[in-house]
Amino acid sequence: MLELAAPFVIDRSHGAARQVYEHLRAAIVTLAFKPGTDLDRNELARCYGVSVTPVRDALLKLEEEGLVDIFPQHGTRVSAVDIDSARHAHFLRLALELEIARTLARRRDPDLAQALQSLVARQRQCLERGDVEAFIHADQAFHERMFAAARAPELWRLMRGNSGNMDRLRRLHMQLNGKAESVLGEHADLAAAIAAGDAGRAEACVRHHLSGTLSRLIALREQYPDYLAG
């Protein structure tokens, strides 16, 4: 029987389909619902306390993002990680973050430098206590803060909406030895480059930081053969 990882109560003052979508997407991206997990509409409706309609709408949106496979008359299943989709998301993120890092370094905003350094410190604390979920949330907060400082929150939302498969791949990569420590060091280097106003170094930091996961595809395929498509 399908069960949600944590209790979830629908806010009746907002659209149910959007809430179901966001909660299901988070469960898939964090690998709480692993590839191959069956998602029965009636069971999900029971779990969320809603009718089947918002569940159906949520699943259709997740199918558009390549996170579930819907088989007419047969049900819905969490999809394997689509490598091509992950590559496309990586290309988009790299293009955006290179320009953002260059812009922020040239601006030399001391408040931003302090904010990024504080987020690096938060990640270090998460790593020291072994809190992987908090570490990943701080990781995302670091990058989101850069987009906000560049006055491009819409681009952050666009990128996040297309990054489901890449996010799952990065989750798997995070479990490989030393990956979290590498992320922490790369964030510290990027924050320092932006604080110093060194645009060239900031760009180099972004390229290095975002290249890691796709460069480890062979190791990821070997360790998680049931998670990756192809």
Side-chain angles (χ1 to χ4, degrees):
M1 180 178 294
L2 184 67
E3 294 292 343
L4 302 179
F8 184 82
V9 178
I10 293 290
D11 182 349
R12 300 295 175 179
S13 65
H14 295 84
R18 182 69 188 184
Q19 294 176 71
V20 171
Y21 156 76
E22 290 177 348
H23 194 261
L24 273 177
R25 188 182 190 278
I28 293 170
V29 168
T30 60
L31 302 176
F33 287 168
K34 297 177 174 59
T37 300
D38 290 320
L39 301 176
D40 182 86
R41 293 184 183 183
N42 291 319
E43 282 193 53
L44 287 171
R46 175 187 59 78
C47 290
Y48 285 110
V50 297
S51 69
V52 173
T53 299
V55 171
R56 179 203 63 201
D57 293 345
L59 291 175
L60 287 172
K61 186 167 178 58
L62 291 169
E63 182 185 37
E64 290 177 3
E65 294 183 18
L67 296 178
V68 304
D69 296 316
I70 298 178
F71 305 97
Q73 312 304 320
H74 293 285
T76 301
R77 185 177 302 144
V78 177
S79 67
V81 177
D82 186 311
I83 301 303
D84 285 340
S85 175
R87 286 195 175 101
H88 297 160
H90 172 263
F91 187 87
L92 174 62
R93 181 171 182 176
L94 181 61
L96 292 173
E97 290 210 18
L98 283 172
E99 182 61 31
I100 283 174
R102 179 167 50 242
T103 298
L104 296 179
R106 289 173 175 169
R107 189 178 297 166
R108 297 197 70 172
D109 180 347
D111 291 336
L112 172 63
Q114 183 177 1
L116 293 179
Q117 289 162 358
S118 295
L119 286 167
V120 170
R122 184 199 302 177
Q123 275 193 283
R124 185 174 292 109
Q125 293 170 355
C126 295
L127 185 59
E128 288 172 351
R129 65 175 184 264
D131 191 337
V132 176
E133 285 302 313
F135 181 90
I136 291 173
H137 287 152
D139 180 359
Q140 293 188 1
F142 180 94
H143 291 277
E144 185 175 10
R145 184 67 181 81
M146 289 174 56
F147 276 76
R151 301 182 182 89
E154 296 85 359
L155 292 179
W156 170 259
R157 289 190 286 272
L158 170 67
M159 186 189 72
R160 297 300 303 156
N162 288 277
S163 67
N165 280 291
M166 189 64 198
D167 286 344
R168 290 197 290 171
L169 203 59
R170 293 183 74 245
R171 282 255 170 184
L172 294 174
H173 190 192
M174 195 69 72
Q175 298 177 49
L176 296 182
N177 291 338
K179 174 57 180 173
E181 290 84 351
S182 296
V183 168
L184 180 61
E186 290 159 10
H187 278 188
D189 290 344
L190 178 54
I194 291 173
D198 190 335
R201 182 180 160 206
E203 288 184 56
C205 288
V206 169
R207 286 191 184 280
H208 177 67
H209 179 53
L210 296 184
S211 68
T213 296
L214 289 179
S215 70
R216 298 298 304 278
L217 271 180
I218 293 177
L220 289 169
R221 283 188 185 279
E222 290 177 350
Q223 189 156 348
Y224 304 102
D226 297 332
Y227 283 66
L228 277 59

